[in-house]
């Protein structure tokens, strides 16, 4: 059974997944279009970091950044071996539940234009395309999405 709970990004398996995610993003996008958070940034007070696990194995990570008037989905990544098993769905449901508990009216995210599996995941969960938000700038490799929670 997949369990999603708050966790520590410095857990060795979580750190390994985050490094794999960062390496993938660096291989796909130019440096100026990489907006992932460093591992130490994921421990900030305004970040809720989640780990999906099965037994002792960490399968995926995701985070909610609490922003002024919205929540932002960050650091979504699932190990290659665990893809297609509902891990990302479970993480995203937990992030949405946390955003609702924080009384946030909307979730937003930025994702890469070539990450088609991520697009399908977010659309399946009710996200729609939106414009640039927060501190982001328009980038040809970025897609911005949002989901109202109210």
């Amino acid at each position: 059974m997949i369990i999603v709970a708050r966790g520590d990004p410095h857990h060795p398996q979580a750190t390994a997944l985050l490094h794999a995610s960062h390496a993938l993003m660096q291989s796909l996008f130019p440096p100026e279009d990489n907006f992932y958070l460093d591992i130490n940034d994921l421990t900030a007070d305004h970040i809720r970091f989640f780990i999906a696990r099965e037994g002792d194995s960490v399968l995926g990570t995701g985070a909610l950044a609490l922003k002024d008037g919205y929540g932002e989905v960050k650091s979504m990544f699932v190990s290659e071996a665990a893809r297609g098993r509902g891990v990302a769905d479970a993480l995203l449901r937990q992030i949405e539940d946390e955003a609702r508990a924080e009384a946030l009216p909307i979730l937003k995210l930025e994702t890469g234009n070539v990450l088609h599996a991520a697009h399908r995941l977010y659309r399946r969960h009710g996200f729609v395309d939106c414009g640039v938000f927060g501190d982001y700038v328009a980038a040809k490799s970025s897609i911005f999405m949002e989901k109202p929670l109210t």
Side-chain angles (χ1 to χ4, degrees), residues 21-36 110-116 119 139-143:
S21 172
H22 298 170
L24 176 64
M25 296 307 111
Q26 291 167 358
S27 75
L28 294 173
F29 306 109
E32 65 272 15
D33 290 354
N34 274 301
F35 302 111
Y36 57 79
E110 179 275 337
T111 190
N113 63 336
V114 297
L115 301 175
H116 302 293
H119 306 164
K140 64 181 178 181
S141 63
S142 288
I143 293 178

Side-chain angles (χ1 to χ4, degrees), residues 58-120:
V58 173
L59 307 176
T61 65
L64 170 67
L66 306 177
K67 303 287 188 159
D68 188 21
Y70 65 95
E72 184 178 353
V73 177
K74 300 292 289 179
S75 302
M76 287 286 293
F77 190 73
V78 174
S79 72
E80 194 170 331
R83 291 181 189 157
R85 296 180 44 207
V87 176
D89 290 296
L91 281 161
L92 197 53
R93 281 192 301 272
Q94 183 64 47
I95 290 168
E96 184 174 333
D97 288 349
E98 185 78 10
R100 288 181 189 281
E102 293 283 346
L104 295 170
I106 193 165
L107 275 175
K108 295 180 179 248
L109 62 87
E110 179 275 337
T111 190
N113 63 336
V114 297
L115 301 175
H116 302 293
H119 306 164
R120 288 189 299 273

